Structure formats: C-alpha cells, structure tokens
Amino acid sequence: MKPAPFDYVVAEDAADAVAALGRYGDEAKVLAGGQSLLPMLALRLARPAALVDINRCGELGGLAESGGTLTVGALARQRDLERWARTRSPLFQEVLASVAHAPIRNRGTVVGNLVHADPASELPALLLCLDGVVRAKGPKGERLIPAEKLYVAPLATSLEPAELAIEVRFTLPPDGAGWGFAEVARRHGDFALVGCVTALTLDGGGLVSHARLGFFGVGGTPVRSAAGEALLLGREPTEARRVEAVRAAAAALSPDGDLHATAAYRKKVAAVLAERMLGAAVGRCRKTR
Amino acid sequence: MKRGVSVTVNGKRHERDVDVRSSLADFLREDLDLTGTHLGCEHGVCGACTVLLEGEPVRACLMLAAQADGHEVRTIEGLASSEDALHPLQEAFWAKHGLQCGYCTPGIIMSAAAFLAEKPAPTDGEIREMLSGHLCRCTGYHFIVEAIREAARAMAAKRTKA
Amino acid sequence: MGAKLFGASVRRKEDPRFLRGEGRYVDDIKLPGMLHAAFVRSPYAHARILSVKTEAARRLPGVAHVFAFADLERWMKPLPLFGAIPPGLAARVAVTMKQVPQLAMGRDRVRFVGEIVAMVLADSRALAEDGCELVEVEYEALPVVTDMVTGGESGAHVIHPEWGDNVAVFFQTGFGDADGAFARADVTVRERFDIQRYVGMPIETRGVVAQWDTRDGSLTAWNSTQVVHFVQQGLVAALGLAPHKIRVIAPDVGGGFGTKANGYPEDLLIPAAAIAARRPVKWAEDRREHMMSAAHARHQAHDIEIAARRDGTMLAVRDRIWLDLGAYNSWGIVLPYNTVAHLLGPHRVPNLRVECRGVVTNKTPNAPYRGAGRPETVFAMDRIVDCLARALHMDPAELRRRNYLSEADMPYEIDLPYRDGNRLVYDSGDFKAGLEAALEAVGYDALRREQAELRGKGVYRGIGLSGYVEGTAIGPYEGATVRLDAAGHAVVATGACSQGQGHETSFAQIAADILGVPLDWVTVVGGDTAAIPFGIGTFASRSAVNAGSSIHVAAGRVRDKIAEAAGALLEAAPADIEIADGTVSVRGAPATSIPLGRVIQAAIPTFAKPGVASPDFEATVYHHQPTVTYTSAVHVAHVEVDPGTGSVKLLRYLVAHDCGKLINPVIVEGQIHGGVAQGVGGGLLEEMAYDEQGQLLTGTFMDYLVPTAMELPPIETVHLEYPSPRNPLGIKGIGEGGAISPPAAIANAVEDALAPFNVRVTRTPLGPSVVVGLVEAAKTT
C-alpha cells in the first residue's frame, strides 16, 4: 500500500505553510504528525497533489496553561498533552489514554487530531465541551473558530483549504469541577463505538453552576447537548434530574449504524454512558464557596 | 520527487536521496538493508514497524523518510550493545519463549525498551496496556508479558549491582 | 539412550536471529535487477471481463511489463485442487461434489472482489501500484450470491454455470436411528447457530520472490508458504519443468495458520512473470490485498437439535449444516467432512443424522484455518448442550459429566469414517478426566458461588465450558533425512515447514537424544524442496507426529551405523557402543572414549586402507502414518458482561488438554496460547463482513479486530498425558487445539452471565452491539 505520487514541501514557518497551501488550491494537505493522514495516503483514499510539512515551523510548538485556558500549538504532540495532564488534569489524562497507543501519540499532534474531525475521535468532543477555539491562519489573515462552528461533517471542518490551524485553546473546567469520560471501544485504543464527556460544577448551595455534556461516535460530528445541560443548570444534580437530562440529550441524537454497531446501540449506550458519567462527575465535584 | 536526507541510524549517519513517497520503514529496509523492522499493515495498527525516534517509539510506516532528516533512529539491529551480547529484553524473550514466528518481535522489543526506561517496575496491567499497541498472532501475549516482566527484573538487578 | 532433551523446555535455537532482527522473511530478499509486482484486482464480486487494456500502464515510466491473461496464457494451467474423497469415505458416504479449478488470472469472468485480472511489474512497488491504476478493465456486472442458505437453493443465480446450482458439496450421513430416538426422547432442544467468517490473519502477509536462471533453465521461488512441495508440484504442472529444476523455499515465515497452506494464483504468476521478464520478480502482499485475496475461513450455519432423557443422557443429535465456501471449492471434502466428523466430540451419542451443504458464494475462497471446521462444529454442539442443560435445569458441567467418554471407553469407535477414509476410532484419552481437571483447576464451584453473590449486586459474571476431541496429525507421511558431517554434526532435512512452531528446536531435540549428541550439533532444515524430494507440509497439527516419527526412526538408523563403525574401530560389538554428548565409548570402558568425529573420519577411505565402515552416516525415512491420533481438551471461560454497554470482559481462560507426550512443554504451551487467542478473537472480535453486493467491508486492521494483550487474560493450562499408541513417540498434534473451543466457551459464558435476562446466544462475534441487541430482543420474547 504505497501512496500515489505527491509533491513534498517543507514549510519554514506558518506564513510559508499558508503560502504553500495556497499555491496548490485545494489539492494540498498539511503534514504534521501524519498519524491520520499517512494511512489514508497509503490506502490511496486521499491523493493530495502536495504535502506541506509544518514540522520545522518552530513557532507552532508549545503548550501553555494560563488563567484557566490551555493553549496548544499545532506541533504539540498528543504525548506532550498527556505529560501535562498527568499533574494538571485527570480528565485530559483519561481521554488521552483512550487515544490510540503510545507510538501514535508520540507523533500525532493534538491540533492535527482535532482538525482531522473523525466523528469517533475523543478529542473533538472534549474541545466542544471545553468551549474550545481554533486559531486559524489563512491568506487573508487570522481568525478564531469556536468548536461548535468547526465540525461540519465526518472528516470535514470549516477550515478553508489554504488555512492552517496554528493553535487551539481549551477553557479548563473551573476549580472543583467534577468530570466524567467513558467510551465503548471494541478494543483498548480503538475508535469509540460511542462515548461521552461530562463536566459539572456545583455552587456553595450544591446546585449546578456549570454543566457540559458531550458525545462522540453519535453521527457525523461530536455533539454537545444544550438541552441536557439546561435541565441540569441551577438545580441539584439528583439521580432523577440526571436521568431527565440524559433522556433529553439522547432524544436529540441520530447516530449512524455501521459494521461495528447499530444506530440503536449508539443511541441507547450514549444514554447509559451519560448517566454513569454524570454520576461520576457529581461524585468528583467539590462544592465551591 | 526526491529529497536529500541525513539520518542517524543506530549511531551511524547516513546521507541519501529518498523518494518522498518512501516511508521511514521503506528507507530502513530498502536503502539501509536493515530488514529487522517489519511491515505488517502499513497503516499504523499492527506495530511491527515500531522503531525509536530520539528514544521514543514511533511507527516507521507512518513517517516519511524525508521527515526523518536530522533525526536519530534506533532499530532492533542497534539494540544489543555488541555482536556477542544481547539486550536484557532479548535475553528475557529468549528465556521465556516470548516469540514464535518472530515477525512482531522487533517492534514489541523496541516499544518495550522505551517503556521500561520510563517505567522500570511496571505492573502486568501496565505491560498489557503498552502491548496493546502491538498485534501478535502467534503467542497470545502470555509469554511476552512474562518476558517483559523478567527483563524489568533483570535490568533493575543490574542497576542495583552497578 | 537417555531421553534427556525430549520432554525438556529447552530454549529455542532459532530465536537469536529473530531477536536481533536478522530473520529472513520473503520481503527481506533482494536480488539484483529485481522487479516489483502489483496486481489489478476485481472491484466486482461477480462480473464478466469484457476487455483489459494495458497500453497506458505500459507507457508509465518505471513500469517494465504489464500482463493480462493472454500474455501468460501458455502457463495458465488451473490451480491445484485439494480434498478429493478418499475411497474409504466414498464407500460409506454418498457425496455429491463439484470442483472447478480456479485460473490464476480471471480470463472472462471474476467471481470475488480481489480476484486477479492483471499484473504490473515495475522498478518499485509504488510505481507498480501507479501502473495498476492505469490498466483499464471493462466489466459487466453479474448477479451476486452472498447468502449460503438461499444461494444453495434452486432459483439462485449460479456462479459456475456448468454446475447447475451453487452446492459444491452435499452429503447426508449418520448412524443408528436418530429420528426414532427423537420420537422417544423426554426432552428435545433445537436451535440455529451462525458462526461468522473469520480468518488466520498472520502478521506477515504472503509473498513470493522468483528467480529464473537462464543459464541452466532452473527456477528458484522463495514463498511465504506452509507447503513448499505442493507449490513445487503446481509449478511442475504449469511450467512444464522437471521437479529438480524447480526449487521452492519457505524462508522464515511470519505465521501461517492454514492461510498459507493453500494453492494461490501468485504461487504461479510470480514465477511465470520472472520467466517472461527474464528478471527476478518480487511480490510482497500488502494488508489490504491480504484481506481480500488470502484465504477466508469458518462461516457456517447449523440447524441443530439434541434429544435426551430427563436425567440428561444424550440420545441423538440431528444437524443441518451449511458452509459458505467462497467462490471456488478448492478444498473439496475437507471442511464439510471435518465438521461432521468432529461434531459429537467427547460426548457419547448413540444416534446421529446430519445433512451437510458446502455452498459457493461470490466471496474470497475458503481454505482450512487452524481448526478447519472443528471450531464451528464444536460451537454448535457445545451451544446446544448448554441449551439442553438449561431446559433440564441442570448445571452444564453436570450434563457434560453424565455424557463424556472416559478412558474406560477407549478405544471408542464412532460409526462414521474419518476424513482420510479410515475408521473413526478414538485411540486414547479420558475426556471426563479432562472435564474434572478443568473444573477443579478453575475452581468451578467457587466461581458459581461468586456468580450468585455478584448477581445480587448487579454484576453479571458467567462461566462457559467447551470440550473437543480432535483428530490430529493427518498423514500419510512427512519424511526426514538425517545426515552427519565429518565432525559428527547432524543435518535433519524434512518436508515440514515452520512458521513459528519451533521445529529447529523440537525436531533437533528428538534427533540429538537418539544420536547422543549435544543439541547445538543438530541443524534442522525444513521448507526446502531441494533438501528432500517428497513432502506435504505443516498444517493440520501434523508435523511433530509425522516428521517427528520419521526423524526418530532415521536418527535411530544413523545411530546404528555409528555403532557399527565405532564397533569396528574400537573392536567391540555394536551393541556395547555408547554415544553421549558427542563422545563414543565402549560400555564399561571409559578409557576407550573418543569424539564422534574420529569415528566418522575412520570410516573415510584413504589410499592406505578402505575405512572401518562405509562413511554413509545418513538415513532417509518416510514414516507411514495411515490415520490420525486424537487429542482432547476442555476449555473454561470466565467472563463479566455489562448489559448496559454490551461489553464482555474475559476474566480468566483455562485449558485442560491432552496432547500425548510433550517434546518441548513450553513450545506446546505457546501453541495453546496462540490458538486460544485466535479463538477469543473469533468469539468476540473478528469478522470478515460483506454487503449484499459482495463488497468486502473489512479492509484494514481498523475493521478486522485482532485481539491485543488487553483483550486476553493470562492463559492457564493443565496438561494431561495419554500417550498416542499410533506413533513411536507417543505424541499428538497441538497446533490447532487452542483455537477450537474459545468461541463456544465464551458464548456459553456470556449466555450464562446474562441468564437473568433470558438471553440466548446464537452467533458470534459477541461484540457490544450484538450483546445489547440480544438483551433487547430477550425483553420482547
């Protein structure tokens, strides 16, 4: 399985990369970690005229946490995020442990995975739940794309062909937030059949002041359930409330069926996971003053 | 399209012109005659092609040879310290019958070498999690887990002695 | 001669090269001037080929040749067929069988996605693939047959017009009066079981390198195969060359499992291409090709029923069986009849009626894969037995206990022929003892108590049993030559081919013990047609028994020759000669001790004298193995099922088995572990899925799910030993056994875990979506 022929361009910096992308119209692809792109090339499912390698663009590295925001540069590897998470976020740690395997995470980039937009991928759902924003650089300058505007269809984002995603920002859950993450995969590290991410914060009175409930593997894009979250906000997160929120969230899901799971399965189990993870999130909450 | 690269493999620097379509695995196997790195799938799942890039395990099939320019790679051929000696992992796999056909073995051993450097006293669960990035069709993994456990023990003992 | 190496878990002689990355697999072979091959493969499951245009491909820089059928027509003899019905079987069972041979390349028709239509040779594999994209093939789509049941009925579109229907194999057989027993029974249970299509999937794909020597008109082919002599015979027939002009070598092979014990188009096409191009040619199969063109396997349906007395005594079994053979019936009677012969297994069942249909469909053709029909038949039997247990409100272990044969029953004849045409007689074993050993080792009663306790807490664990009896080591032979060199070191050449089974060690253990030399003095050469003229190959758990017996006898003859020569040299009777650790002496006279090499040298004539004996320290033996010898095992699976997500976690897996005497116990355990892992894959994860247009949906390792170390627990083994009376070593085959029972044991365990939900498991693999579907379905029944 060898790729179809392509031109190979090594960009010196982000501006150079954007210019190179522009030269090829929509026939060029960005090569960062390559862990999602190179298999597609090998299978000849993708046949770009050119690869623009951004691995030498020094300014795109880095991972920084400041004031509740985590900023991840385009060249930060998944394993860099994993190492940060070890001491800073059990939620991120849990999510990353489910992303493929160590050799893939050593090369694969966080931003690359996010803009590859596989609906069964974990990180896009996390981005969605954490009010994520992508900073994109294109021929007309830079713009910010919020996560809810980013994912349009399986393997498709709202990035323009000549745009390069140069960094991504996550809004970290507030101090004392509880969280939950679970997926069903047929084997450890596989793409999920279905998965769920949650975050909850309780105020001094034990009422929900902040809620996030997201799913992946439930259709063409990751989904965040505004309806479910609304039913939790401002109330005590009792079991009955959680069940009600999950019911509303699941009702809005219309997943697909495939070789590995039926649509009915995904819808049903999304709800099962959401119930369990909301329970876990509550258990992990520390009431804030 | 071709591109000139300079790659250090097992401590030796090589300067070559590579086809940009070539993967790092192709480069090692075809250009440098280091055929110990095996191709099992060419889409990054089976792990047979795993090598160390600056000490970290990566899939050689999911890296272009051109991307290895300026990097340091270690393959199974460069693991043992000499022609006569074997690395403790190699000794342990031999002692514990941790291989049958040998095809997945180099990739697993390279991953395990990096793994034990980071986690010198792993639990069986941690070993199995590391191994889950490698497919073996012959062994059922049972003796592989024992071999890695044994290697960890032997390496720790050597460090204590030293 | 003390048997000190036989029975010892010595570490393997072959390992150092594998550990250092110095194994030599087919894709490691590079020859000067070598071209790389890639194939144009049909994207249609069934179509007429209207035209093949190769001009554009030929013009691509870097492409050296493009071949369609017409370009290689002179060599296009049909591929070999296997599975002819032996006379002993034909005499007893009326089989209707049709086989039409496959051509190496589609000529006017393709019958499965992946069938070869053209070949491109280029300077690199990448360029060859580029060239393939430029080959223009015009197809006319034909109706597609994908269902083995409806496909076998009249009215279905016929894949091979000359057949009149798609039923490649049909027979009915049995013994006793099954219908009468059913009429009289207290309880009968009937169910339909579906076993999916799943495959060997070795980590090394297939590959062939061929080199044609124009100087002496000889061909050498390195082939990642399990059957070098079969491949050679096919080339003799197709190329019109004498056998000694064709050398087929299996170098290091990265797993076979039966997938590589098949006759393939590429075995012929690559050598033909090398002759046509007058340059060496390499073909290294890629994984996507492998999924669609390497042999498929399994895929059966059983409509099975069992009749019993209220106390659980089994009276009769009736089974209607379908096999989905894929597009060609290359293997004849083998898979269908193996299925029937192994159905009853360890159970005493006095009446049987079966009807068996092997049906062709527009899918990749099947070949035997580790177990070869036994996993499917054991699934049907062990499932119906558990269903019977439930109907009788009896523990499944107790039901088996009441019906398993034991040593007192041996030899036990089942009134059916075996697949080799001989009588089917279990020669040794104690299946009831195996059951008890398994139950005790796993702590069955404690697991049952724990199950009840955890159920109260909403945790669903289950225990599943499965037992098999396996005819192993089918003959009729595997020869060996044992030959000494001047230093007394031995080369053992055999037709057996290793793909990881450790022949270089275990066969050396046999020879070294008998010859009286150190293990590292013995080199085993297998998988090379130049090393021994006649051979069969390694599959069907046959090499230890067949090759091992030949090596045993041949080494004995060489030892006798050493004793003759030593006796002449040391002036003693041959019977008084002792050989140990490569040293020869006269019994009771240690001062006479000399190195073996001196004896050899003394036999070589000089100008001065003729030599103390002939320097012929060589023997070739083709031990005749007329029929199989029977192994048995009981497997226990312990699972935990999450009914909310359908996830099945395999907590423990235990095997209590008998494979006779063990040459190298750790190698035996490794074989069991590997078989179990593949069986677990079959039970939970692996499937080759097609849609209704015959399009293969499983294209990569993202879809074909090979179990990893996280899906498998440590595999516990208990050895029992009932030596085989059918070969001089008392051994039995063990290559396949581990793969036979896991799907049945796991399915039984899952159903047991979900008993409170009244689930009935009727198919595999038991992925989460299937399990949740079963729980949902049970709610409405």
Side-chain angles (χ1 to χ4, degrees):
Chain A
M1 279 157 43
K2 309 297 185 190
F6 53 82
D7 284 350
Y8 175 72
V9 178
V10 178
E12 290 169 22
D13 55 38
D16 191 23
V18 170
L21 290 172
R23 280 200 296 280
Y24 286 93
D26 57 0
E27 295 292 316
K29 283 250 172 220
V30 173
L31 176 63
Q35 304 301 282
S36 303
L37 180 62
L38 291 177
M40 294 179 68
L41 257 50
L43 288 161
R44 300 198 177 202
L45 292 173
R47 313 168 63 102
L51 295 187
V52 178
D53 188 331
I54 62 168
N55 286 280
R56 309 271 171 201
C57 303
E59 84 267 36
L60 295 180
L63 189 155
E65 182 191 344
S66 169
T69 299
L70 177 68
T71 305
V72 182
L75 288 180
R77 310 284 167 180
Q78 288 151 25
R79 63 125 149 80
D80 297 329
L81 188 59
E82 220 181 327
R83 286 196 187 128
W84 167 85
R86 229 170 258 166
T87 52
R88 297 297 303 149
S89 172
L91 168 59
F92 272 80
Q93 189 173 32
E94 188 95 353
V95 172
L96 283 156
S98 291
V99 175
H101 302 279
I104 303 288
R105 298 196 296 268
N106 284 340
R107 287 293 293 168
T109 61
V110 176
V111 172
N113 181 290
L114 286 168
V115 301
H116 181 69
D118 189 309
S121 238
E122 298 82 359
L123 288 173
L126 187 63
L127 189 76
L128 200 55
C129 280
L130 298 185
D131 303 321
V133 176
V134 168
R135 194 163 123 226
K137 187 184 178 77
K140 294 180 247 166
E142 290 190 7
R143 64 178 178 128
L144 296 174
I145 309 173
E148 59 265 25
K149 294 269 192 305
L150 181 65
Y151 296 107
V152 300
L155 306 181
T157 66
S158 56
L159 284 167
E160 298 293 324
E163 265 186 318
L164 174 67
I166 57 176
E167 85 187 8
V168 109
R169 296 171 196 165
F170 296 87
T171 303
L172 297 173
D175 235 22
W179 59 273
F181 169 80
E183 67 173 43
V184 179
R186 294 196 66 184
R187 295 174 309 178
H188 180 76
D190 282 349
F191 283 112
L193 300 183
V194 64
C196 165
V197 185
T198 73
L200 280 183
T201 313
L202 303 179
D203 66 20
L207 304 181
V208 175
S209 57
H210 170 94
R212 291 287 182 270
L213 177 58
F215 299 94
F216 51 101
V218 289
T221 67
V223 168
R224 204 184 116 184
S225 175
E229 290 165 8
L231 284 169
L232 292 165
L233 277 169
R235 292 157 152 159
E236 223 190 302
T238 60
E239 194 181 330
R241 277 269 169 274
R242 299 196 305 261
V243 166
E244 198 192 340
V246 167
R247 193 168 295 144
L253 297 175
S254 45
D256 302 308
D258 64 17
L259 195 50
H260 296 294
T262 61
Y265 173 84
R266 290 187 157 102
K267 195 168 166 111
K268 179 169 203 319
V269 177
V272 170
L273 294 179
E275 263 186 61
R276 293 181 186 177
M277 288 306 103
L278 282 174
V282 169
R284 290 178 171 125
C285 273
R286 283 182 293 113
K287 295 199 188 108
T288 53
R289 297 265 162 268
Chain B
M1 192 190 221
K2 281 203 180 293
R3 192 181 174 83
V5 299
S6 171
V7 192
T8 302
V9 182
N10 300 331
K12 184 162 168 224
R13 200 163 78 170
H14 300 273
E15 319 233 333
R16 293 277 198 284
D17 281 335
V18 298
D19 186 325
V20 296
R21 289 200 270 181
S22 280
S23 68
L24 174 58
D26 293 334
F27 175 70
L28 293 168
R29 292 178 53 73
E30 306 296 330
D31 292 62
L32 302 186
D33 285 323
L34 294 169
T35 56
T37 299
H38 298 145
L39 289 173
C41 74
E42 293 184 290
H43 50 278
V45 181
C46 78
C49 69
T50 305
V51 298
L52 299 183
L53 186 76
E54 273 91 43
E56 297 204 320
V58 297
R59 306 292 201 222
C61 74
L62 292 190
M63 226 180 126
L64 298 179
Q67 291 185 288
D69 185 27
H71 284 282
E72 257 189 66
V73 177
R74 190 159 293 274
T75 70
I76 187 72
E77 292 94 337
L79 186 68
S81 52
S82 76
E83 294 262 317
D84 312 302
L86 285 176
H87 187 278
L89 273 164
Q90 290 165 320
E91 285 286 358
F93 270 68
W94 194 7
K96 293 292 182 181
H97 190 41
L99 63 150
Q100 290 182 29
C101 81
Y103 202 75
C104 72
T105 307
I108 290 181
I109 288 183
M110 297 315 284
S111 261
F115 170 73
L116 289 179
E118 202 176 301
K119 262 197 171 70
T123 63
D124 279 7
E126 287 167 335
I127 294 174
R128 283 183 181 269
E129 182 166 7
M130 180 274 295
L131 279 178
S132 71
H134 290 268
L135 300 184
C136 172
R137 224 27 192 161
C138 293
T139 68
Y141 311 100
H142 183 110
F143 287 140
I144 294 180
V145 173
E146 285 193 13
I148 295 173
R149 199 195 302 138
E150 167 57 26
R153 189 208 60 76
M155 288 163 75
K158 220 157 78 167
R159 278 190 298 271
T160 320
K161 246 172 64 176
Chain C
M1 14 180 191
K4 47 183 177 60
L5 287 167
F6 189 110
S9 288
V10 298
R11 61 182 195 175
R12 298 193 328 170
K13 296 163 95 286
E14 50 266 77
D15 284 357
R17 69 179 184 273
F18 295 133
L19 292 165
R20 290 185 176 277
E22 286 162 11
R24 206 161 87 128
Y25 303 86
V26 170
D27 192 39
D28 301 336
I29 295 169
K30 284 173 215 165
L31 301 173
M34 190 167 75
L35 290 168
H36 296 259
F39 291 104
V40 177
R41 294 181 181 275
S42 170
Y44 288 94
H46 198 193
R48 272 193 205 98
I49 301 170
L50 299 178
S51 67
V52 181
K53 298 202 178 89
T54 58
E55 262 319 295
R58 280 180 220 263
R59 282 197 300 267
L60 186 69
V63 168
H65 295 277
V66 182
F67 297 129
F69 185 92
D71 301 303
L72 300 174
E73 187 152 15
R74 56 180 280 216
W75 294 300
M76 289 302 205
K77 301 287 185 306
L79 297 184
L81 290 171
F82 308 100
I85 304 166
L89 179 50
R92 176 61 202 278
V93 181
V95 182
T96 312
M97 189 159 93
K98 305 160 185 127
Q99 284 185 295
V100 62
Q102 191 184 347
L103 292 171
M105 209 177 258
R107 181 179 49 199
D108 16 59
R109 211 179 256 247
V110 287
R111 290 180 175 87
F112 63 96
V113 168
E115 189 162 7
I116 293 172
V117 175
M119 170 169 39
V120 175
L121 304 183
D123 295 334
S124 70
R125 172 73 186 208
L127 286 165
E129 291 185 26
D130 296 344
C132 285
E133 291 186 326
L134 295 176
V135 174
E136 295 162 43
V137 185
E138 216 186 320
Y139 296 99
E140 181 187 305
L142 291 169
V144 172
V145 178
T146 56
D147 184 293
M148 66 177 118
V149 174
T150 58
E153 287 161 5
S154 64
H157 187 87
V158 177
I159 294 175
H160 301 288
E162 58 268 57
W163 287 9
D165 63 28
N166 293 317
V167 181
V169 181
F170 176 78
F171 61 89
Q172 292 167 309
T173 191
F175 53 83
D177 173 20
D179 293 348
F182 269 85
R184 288 189 306 273
D186 293 331
V187 179
T188 67
V189 182
R190 181 175 179 176
E191 192 54 82
R192 154 88 182 243
F193 297 110
D194 288 280
I195 298 99
Q196 83 278 24
R197 200 171 194 76
Y198 66 105
V199 304
M201 203 61 71
I203 304 302
E204 185 210 17
T205 52
R206 298 181 293 143
V208 183
V209 171
Q211 182 173 49
W212 169 243
D213 188 336
T214 55
R215 199 173 39 92
D216 67 1
S218 69
L219 178 85
T220 305
W222 292 264
N223 189 320
S224 186
T225 181
Q226 297 171 235
V227 286
V228 291
H229 288 88
F230 277 158
V231 172
Q232 183 198 39
Q233 284 154 33
L235 290 172
V236 166
L239 302 177
L241 294 170
H244 74 273
K245 290 291 196 184
I246 299 181
R247 183 177 182 187
V248 180
I249 301 168
D252 289 322
V253 175
F257 316 120
T259 307
K260 295 176 180 173
N262 191 26
Y264 283 111
E266 297 90 346
D267 296 341
L268 167 58
L269 290 172
I270 301 302
I275 295 172
R278 295 173 82 83
R279 283 171 68 178
V281 175
K282 169 188 279 188
W283 170 66
E285 183 185 47
D286 68 35
R287 186 57 63 180
R288 183 175 50 189
E289 269 187 292
H290 185 86
M291 301 246 176
M292 68 172 75
S293 70
H296 285 191
R298 308 276 191 261
H299 211 174
Q300 295 189 8
H302 288 246
D303 175 0
I304 186 169
E305 42 183 349
I306 192 165
R309 285 201 207 105
R310 202 169 312 281
D311 68 0
T313 308
M314 294 174 188
L315 299 174
V317 168
R318 291 192 295 222
D319 195 3
R320 283 184 82 206
I321 305 166
W322 291 260
L323 294 88
D324 184 326
L325 300 176
Y328 293 92
N329 179 24
S330 318
W331 280 87
I333 196 61
V334 172
L335 292 166
Y337 200 79
N338 254 8
T339 301
V340 166
H342 291 90
L343 176 62
L344 298 178
H347 308 88
R348 184 198 315 275
V349 178
N351 301 283
L352 174 72
R353 178 154 75 73
V354 296
E355 181 181 288
C356 187
R357 261 177 200 81
V359 179
V360 289
T361 60
N362 291 114
K363 298 176 191 153
T364 305
N366 283 22
Y369 154 47
R370 204 171 200 167
R374 300 173 188 85
E376 301 93 295
T377 206
V378 163
F379 186 85
M381 186 66 181
D382 269 313
R383 284 294 307 124
I384 203 69
V385 165
D386 263 36
C387 292
L388 175 63
R390 241 168 272 295
L392 293 171
H393 305 288
M394 189 183 293
D395 186 291
E398 179 57 29
L399 180 57
R400 287 173 173 81
R401 190 177 279 125
R402 293 182 188 191
N403 288 281
Y404 268 23
L405 300 161
S406 68
E407 193 168 26
D409 297 305
M410 300 298 139
Y412 182 81
E413 176 151 14
I414 293 184
D415 193 11
L416 284 178
Y418 190 69
R419 176 163 75 74
D420 54 24
N422 293 292
R423 288 161 58 202
L424 201 173
V425 182
Y426 295 161
D427 53 8
S428 56
D430 188 328
F431 317 139
K432 199 182 294 193
L435 174 66
E436 299 300 354
L439 295 172
E440 206 208 294
V442 85
Y444 188 76
D445 295 339
L447 291 181
R448 281 280 175 227
R449 286 193 297 274
E450 180 202 59
Q451 176 185 48
E453 212 183 288
L454 290 175
R455 235 172 228 171
K457 299 182 187 150
V459 175
Y460 300 96
R461 291 191 174 176
I463 310 142
L465 301 171
S466 167
Y468 70 79
V469 179
E470 181 194 357
T472 67
I474 198 156
Y477 71 89
E478 192 71 77
T481 298
V482 177
R483 173 193 318 131
L484 300 186
D485 66 16
H489 293 204
V491 171
V492 174
T494 171
C497 311
S498 185
Q499 314 94 42
Q501 296 92 329
H503 292 174
E504 289 173 43
T505 304
S506 52
F507 293 173
Q509 287 173 257
I510 297 172
D513 266 353
I514 292 171
L515 293 171
V517 301
L519 185 67
D520 64 358
W521 283 28
V522 182
T523 301
V524 175
V525 174
D528 185 344
T529 57
I532 190 165
F534 306 110
I536 294 182
T538 295
F539 52 92
S541 313
R542 66 189 301 275
S543 292
V545 168
N546 283 279
S549 299
S550 295
I551 293 167
H552 174 88
V553 177
R557 292 190 190 160
V558 172
R559 194 214 174 275
D560 291 344
K561 292 182 181 185
I562 298 170
E564 282 284 335
L569 181 64
L570 299 172
E571 290 168 356
D576 292 328
I577 296 294
E578 287 183 340
I579 316 170
D581 290 318
T583 301
V584 182
S585 58
V586 180
R587 184 178 305 110
T592 59
S593 157
I594 51 168
L596 175 53
R598 282 269 306 280
V599 176
I600 312 280
Q601 270 136 41
I604 299 173
T606 65
F607 287 117
K609 47 195 168 89
V612 297
S614 167
D616 161 25
F617 297 100
E618 179 172 333
T620 297
V621 171
Y622 288 88
H623 168 85
H624 182 219
Q625 193 65 43
T627 193
V628 292
T629 180
Y630 288 88
T631 64
S632 58
V634 172
H635 290 210
V636 187
H638 187 213
V639 305
E640 186 171 307
V641 184
D642 178 348
T645 63
S647 298
V648 176
K649 184 160 169 62
L650 185 55
L651 300 170
R652 283 179 69 188
Y653 201 91
L654 184 138
V655 174
H657 83 109
D658 159 45
C659 70
K661 291 187 164 300
L662 309 183
I663 303 169
N664 186 316
V666 79
I667 286 182
V668 168
E669 282 181 10
Q671 289 300 300
I672 295 172
H673 295 169
V676 164
Q678 290 182 329
V680 170
L684 292 174
L685 293 163
E686 299 176 35
E687 181 167 11
M688 278 297 190
Y690 282 87
D691 70 12
E692 271 139 39
Q693 290 314 304
Q695 290 298 312
L696 182 57
L697 300 173
T698 317
T700 69
F701 276 145
M702 304 298 260
D703 291 322
Y704 194 84
L705 304 176
V706 169
T708 75
M710 298 265 295
E711 286 75 52
L712 290 157
I715 297 156
E716 304 163 55
T717 51
V718 175
H719 297 290
L720 296 93
E721 197 171 294
Y722 296 89
S724 171
R726 290 183 176 171
N727 62 75
L729 296 168
I731 60 179
K732 303 176 180 179
I734 192 54
E736 292 168 280
I740 294 175
S741 274
I746 289 170
N748 281 347
V750 169
E751 185 170 287
D752 185 61
L754 297 177
F757 299 85
N758 273 312
V759 155
R760 169 144 297 179
V761 173
T762 59
R763 54 179 279 219
T764 48
L766 289 162
S769 187
V770 170
V771 172
V772 165
L774 288 173
V775 173
E776 292 297 298
K779 286 181 186 161
T780 55
T781 3

